[in-house]
Amino acid sequence: MTSSASDPVGVDPAHAAIAGAAAATGNDGHDGDLVVVVDDPGAKHRLPLPFAAAAANSVSASSSSSSLACFASAPGKVILFGEHAVVYGKTAIAASLGLRTFILATVTPTTAAADASSDGSSSSSSYSSSYSPSSPSPSPTRPSGTFALHLPDVDLDHVWEISEILAAAGSVVRPAAPSPAASAAAVAAGLRPPAPEIMTPEAHAALAPLVAFFPADHARQAALSILYLFCKLCPSVPSLELSIRSTLPVGAGLGSSASYSVCVVAALLRLGGHVGGHDGDDRDDAGDLDRDPSPAVAALINDWAFVSETILHGNPSGVDNAVCCFGGAKAYNKGQPLRSVPGFSSMRFLLTNTRFPKNTKVQVENVRKRTVAFPLVMPHLMDTIQGVSDSCLQLFAAADKGDRDENMKTLIDLNHAALVACGVSHDTLERVRSVAAEHGLHSKLTGAGGGGCALTFVPDDAPPAALAATTAALVAHGFDCYATSVGGPGVRASATGVTDPATARRMHVEFARVAAAAEWQPEMEKWGRRVVAGGGGGAGGSGGGGGGAKMARV
């Protein structure tokens, strides 16, 4: 699963060690520096008290031990303003995209009892079984001691023996070392959250043969990142199955790989016992998929998602995974950490994928050549784009937002005009603009340009007929359209118990069924809430029953 390279941004001093590890790998990927921390309240406190709850939960769970299912989702990302100018030190504004990636991850036991239940002889409708993240892994004594990965968006469906993965990892890919910054309470409980570790060339060489037979490079990279995260975050699970689907178009510059990475990390951290609450932790409400994770947990997810992105892209900026993890809108400049946009609120947009292939490196090079050729012109265009970004920040910071929509329309037009002058638009993008204008809507390209995607602003007072007519006309041109929002929540995840392998398998079947429908994201969100609320997965109660089990929010 791939996405375009993010524009370069700066190294956060707090992550110099991670940056150094990335440099040591010698990866030759997209240009860019590292940025992992956002200035959200509490995010700078890497591993504080919330992990004491995780430690207490993991210790207490080892005596009761239960199988787990984790359901998680994460948004994509779009560039609202500042494309290309960010390369020249100007401000860009990125925001989460309402299209999301979803994951269902289940861990089930490999005991004789589980064998019986998988045959249907001891299945029940209540959630309970025999695995906890902190308890030792049973010996893999049956074929279900496997890691099954279902990733149909990149035509990947495979099952590995866990023993095969761990044998390949050997002494090269060890479980992640505890973070030296763990809270005193977590240390006292004998646990520390895992410190992020960039994949080394030796680790790559050890795991690469396990994915070498996949024909597509993006499938190999997606599988490789997951296997590495598995070895680092939850290698002791007895049996693991992951189903992943996304409403994000792949390779369209919308952060599909970062959204994927955030989802996978959130699930594996939970299944590995590194995050999550326990029954005595009031902060972790039962089955709650509508609350953000604590700042410390979000920061940990973000750090490990960046690790995944280095596998997928070589040298990512860290912007995509941060936006997908934290949500909302972020401003960034080259050489500086991301910062939140004060007062930003979610807005409606129509996203149009022109389906004309874009090439980020080509467009960046074209702008560079134009900058060299026209040194008296191009800096002024970059200053114009900076002014657009600054005006956007002022617009949302203002107490009076009465003219927000009208001003947003103007900023969209100004930013697009400057990008056209930079030479990065395309006939397909201009067609989106003209079609939207016919119905009173305003559009701009998003990302590198030269094809790819466009954003059409949908004000609160936009007539539904105008949006419908615009969508129909764009579809008639052969484009893909998505009515969505920008600036919504980041990663969301919850976990529940599972009765047995048969129940877990039914959950994955139901997950695939829901994702096969048209316009399936709203239904998947509802389905996920039913799963983590203990009500099973399927329509009419299929996929497992309730039992009223207490859930823990990641």
Side-chain angles (χ1 to χ4, degrees):
M1 181 170 290
T2 60
S3 67
S4 65
S6 300
D7 293 312
V9 293
V11 177
D12 181 350
H15 287 77
I18 300 179
T25 65
N27 286 330
D28 184 19
H30 301 300
D31 293 335
D33 298 317
L34 313 182
V35 58
V36 190
V37 170
V38 183
D39 67 345
D40 288 342
K44 63 183 178 181
H45 304 297
R46 308 308 299 151
L47 303 166
L49 288 177
F51 290 103
N57 178 48
S58 190
V59 170
S60 64
S62 63
S63 57
S64 59
S65 115
S66 62
S67 296
L68 286 174
C70 182
F71 181 85
S73 73
K77 83 89 180 56
V78 292
I79 304 296
L80 278 180
F81 300 117
E83 296 94 336
H84 289 283
V86 72
V87 177
Y88 299 90
K90 307 304 182 182
T91 302
I93 298 176
S96 58
L97 182 65
L99 304 178
R100 299 178 74 88
T101 300
F102 297 84
I103 184 171
L104 173 67
T106 58
V107 167
T108 51
T110 55
T111 62
D115 276 327
S117 65
S118 65
D119 293 332
S121 59
S122 62
S123 179
S124 66
S125 61
S126 62
Y127 287 125
S128 63
S129 198
S130 57
Y131 166 74
S132 78
S134 62
S135 61
S137 168
S139 299
T141 57
R142 64 182 181 93
S144 63
T146 55
F147 181 173
L149 176 60
H150 314 294
L151 191 52
D153 293 324
V154 294
D155 299 320
L156 196 162
D157 195 291
H158 191 72
V159 179
W160 293 271
E161 294 286 342
I162 287 179
S163 58
E164 173 191 17
I165 298 171
L166 299 182
S171 61
V172 175
V173 190
R174 307 282 296 178
S179 169
S183 68
V187 173
L191 292 177
R192 288 189 181 127
E197 299 177 36
I198 300 295
M199 175 184 263
T200 64
E202 292 79 12
H204 185 283
L207 296 177
L210 297 175
V211 302
F213 50 85
F214 295 129
D217 179 67
H218 54 270
R220 288 194 298 272
Q221 293 303 102
L224 183 65
S225 70
I226 267 195
L227 292 181
Y228 180 75
L229 293 171
F230 165 78
C231 291
K232 286 294 181 181
L233 300 179
C234 57
S236 65
V237 298
S239 190
L240 178 64
E241 185 168 5
L242 305 182
S243 292
I244 307 169
R245 289 300 309 271
S246 184
T247 56
L248 289 159
V250 175
L254 300 174
S256 61
S257 71
S259 180
Y260 160 85
S261 295
V262 169
C263 271
V264 169
V265 167
L268 296 187
L269 282 171
R270 181 64 184 94
L271 297 183
H274 304 295
V275 299
H278 63 295
D279 287 354
D281 183 4
D282 294 334
R283 187 181 58 81
D284 291 322
D285 291 343
D288 191 348
L289 279 168
D290 296 311
R291 291 171 57 193
D292 295 326
S294 71
V297 170
L300 184 66
I301 294 171
N302 184 47
D303 288 350
W304 277 99
F306 176 80
V307 170
S308 176
E309 284 284 271
T310 64
I311 299 171
L312 296 170
H313 294 306
N315 190 19
S317 70
V319 172
D320 284 14
N321 53 272
V323 173
C324 294
C325 184
F326 293 98
K330 311 297 176 189
Y332 62 100
N333 294 77
K334 186 176 181 180
Q336 300 177 23
L338 296 178
R339 56 195 186 276
S340 296
V341 176
F344 189 90
S345 58
S346 179
M347 299 179 294
R348 291 193 300 158
F349 279 86
L350 178 68
L351 174 72
T352 301
N353 183 4
T354 67
R355 303 175 67 180
F356 188 89
K358 60 168 187 58
N359 188 312
T360 299
K361 290 184 177 180
V362 168
Q363 297 305 320
V364 170
E365 178 62 14
N366 288 342
V367 173
R368 187 195 68 79
K369 290 178 179 178
R370 188 167 289 202
T371 300
V372 172
F374 300 97
L376 299 180
V377 177
M378 292 298 289
H380 296 293
L381 290 175
M382 299 305 168
D383 288 342
T384 296
I385 296 174
Q386 176 68 58
V388 169
S389 294
D390 289 342
S391 297
C392 178
L393 295 174
Q394 292 176 4
L395 181 63
F396 281 98
D400 182 8
K401 295 183 172 57
D403 295 329
R404 186 199 74 169
D405 286 358
E406 289 302 315
N407 289 332
M408 182 61 67
K409 295 174 187 177
T410 302
L411 293 177
I412 285 171
D413 290 341
L414 289 170
N415 196 172
H416 184 82
L419 291 169
V420 170
C422 288
V424 296
S425 190
H426 186 268
D427 289 347
T428 55
L429 296 168
E430 295 307 312
R431 193 171 306 139
V432 174
R433 286 260 306 166
S434 63
V435 168
E438 290 175 2
H439 301 282
L441 301 176
H442 297 249
S443 304
K444 67 175 289 290
L445 68 84
T446 181
C453 295
L455 283 173
T456 300
F457 180 49
V458 183
D460 292 339
D461 60 356
L467 178 59
T470 301
T471 302
L474 292 173
V475 170
H477 282 290
F479 303 151
D480 293 332
C481 294
Y482 308 84
T484 186
S485 62
V486 165
V491 62
R492 296 284 172 80
S494 283
T496 180
V498 183
T499 49
D500 51 55
T503 299
R505 185 85 277 280
R506 287 196 300 272
M507 292 170 73
H508 286 276
V509 170
E510 277 297 306
F511 181 95
R513 179 194 65 78
V514 174
E519 304 292 333
W520 57 267
Q521 178 166 314
E523 183 58 30
M524 181 65 79
E525 291 170 342
K526 295 176 184 176
W527 183 85
R529 290 185 179 91
R530 291 200 299 271
V531 168
V532 299
S542 64
K550 176 77 173 180
M551 303 304 118
R553 180 176 61 86
V554 170

